[in-house]
Amino acid sequence: GQQLNQSPQSMFIQEGEDVSMNCTSSSIFNTWLWYKQEPGEGPVLLIALYKAGELTSNGRLTAQFGITRKDSFLNISASIPSDVGIYFCAGQEYSGGGADGLTFGKGTHLIIQP
Amino acid sequence: DGGITQSPKYLFRKEGQNVTLSCEQNLNHDAMYWYRQDPGQGLRLIYYSQIVNDFQKGDIAEGYSVSREKKESFPLTVTSAQKNPTAFYLCASSHPGTGEMSYTFGSGTRLTVV
């Protein structure tokens, strides 16, 4: 099936630093979503993007739906210890995504050093 | 509050046994999904169901079975045919008809074979 390339795979940063991660696809998507997963829990939706070029913020988090419809990025400003976790991108292909809905990236593991 | 509930949180299975993981949602969502997550890995789709009494195989369905007798419930059975069942299992649901696709996840079940 469709693959999403999410990078980086992991990030080791200092508290207070800004974070940036992105996802790219080989086909056009009509939906981009960003989830956060904490250890031992299910992913929780952070930001949903449904229009090309859309820029949406949720507190210190900002995500954008790329103009080409083939990419999205997530930025976290002034990171704090509770930002630790795995961040997943997910998208639905413009064709309707097939019968199985969303395609997920492999995740970015964020580790914050105090 | 509406949500999706997985039980149990932790499950131990002896080799050769079948076990069933529960997933219940009260969000009135039509579609439900089962994913498997291994350490450092992304989410791999096991089975999905878009409507009651219908379900489809995902990417890694071998050794698993599901049923969808009620809209609210989508239990997953891990059979003895699954060679490496130790993993974190996530259930999700969505309402594809709204035009704004997103998944709501449960908090997961960690299955360990002993």
Side-chain angles (χ1 to χ4, degrees):
Chain A
Q2 169 62 242
Q3 296 288 325
L4 286 183
N5 296 312
Q6 184 172 351
S7 64
Q9 185 174 357
S10 59
M11 301 182 73
F12 296 81
I13 64 167
Q14 298 285 335
E15 183 178 351
E17 288 185 12
D18 296 342
V19 172
S20 183
M21 60 190 78
N22 68 84
C23 268
T24 60
S25 69
S26 57
S27 57
I28 293 173
F29 277 39
N30 64 7
T31 296
W32 283 100
L33 307 169
W34 285 93
Y35 287 86
K36 179 188 178 186
Q37 184 182 27
E38 298 190 0
E41 297 296 327
V44 174
L45 183 65
L46 298 174
I47 293 178
L49 303 160
Y50 298 109
K51 296 180 182 179
E54 183 179 359
L55 182 71
T56 298
S57 294
N58 179 5
R60 294 178 295 105
L61 278 61
T62 302
Q64 185 160 30
F65 191 143
I67 290 291
T68 65
R69 295 179 175 264
K70 293 183 177 182
D71 63 337
S72 177
F73 72 74
L74 174 70
N75 288 342
I76 305 173
S77 63
S79 59
I80 59 177
S82 62
D83 291 333
V84 166
I86 303 174
Y87 292 79
F88 289 99
C89 64
Q92 183 179 36
E93 290 186 60
Y94 185 69
S95 62
D100 57 348
L102 296 175
T103 301
F104 285 85
K106 292 191 175 183
T108 295
H109 193 180
L110 181 60
I111 299 166
I112 299 176
Q113 300 165 334
Chain B
D1 288 338
I4 183 166
T5 301
Q6 291 186 240
S7 62
K9 183 68 174 175
Y10 300 95
L11 187 57
F12 296 88
R13 188 195 94 171
K14 293 182 179 180
E15 287 192 19
Q17 285 184 338
N18 293 354
V19 289
T20 297
L21 283 58
S22 171
C23 180
E24 303 276 336
Q25 53 98 0
N26 60 4
L27 299 165
N28 199 33
H29 283 175
D30 291 316
M32 297 186 74
Y33 312 82
W34 274 106
Y35 286 89
R36 171 180 172 141
Q37 186 177 29
D38 294 284
Q41 301 293 316
L43 306 177
R44 292 189 290 169
L45 183 64
I46 304 173
Y47 268 98
Y48 63 97
S49 168
Q50 291 186 298
I51 196 169
V52 175
N53 292 323
D54 185 56
F55 48 84
Q56 305 295 328
K57 292 181 178 180
D59 300 320
I60 57 165
E62 185 175 353
Y64 300 98
S65 66
V66 294
S67 63
R68 186 85 187 276
E69 298 177 359
K70 298 185 301 182
K71 186 175 185 178
E72 301 81 16
S73 179
F74 191 40
L76 173 74
T77 297
V78 184
T79 75
S80 56
Q82 170 50 238
K83 299 305 180 186
N84 184 21
T86 295
F88 190 54
Y89 291 87
L90 286 163
C91 180
S93 68
S94 71
H95 198 45
T98 63
E100 293 189 342
M101 168 67 85
S102 70
Y103 288 3
T104 300
F105 283 89
S107 58
T109 293
R110 184 167 299 282
L111 173 63
T112 303
V113 173
V114 296

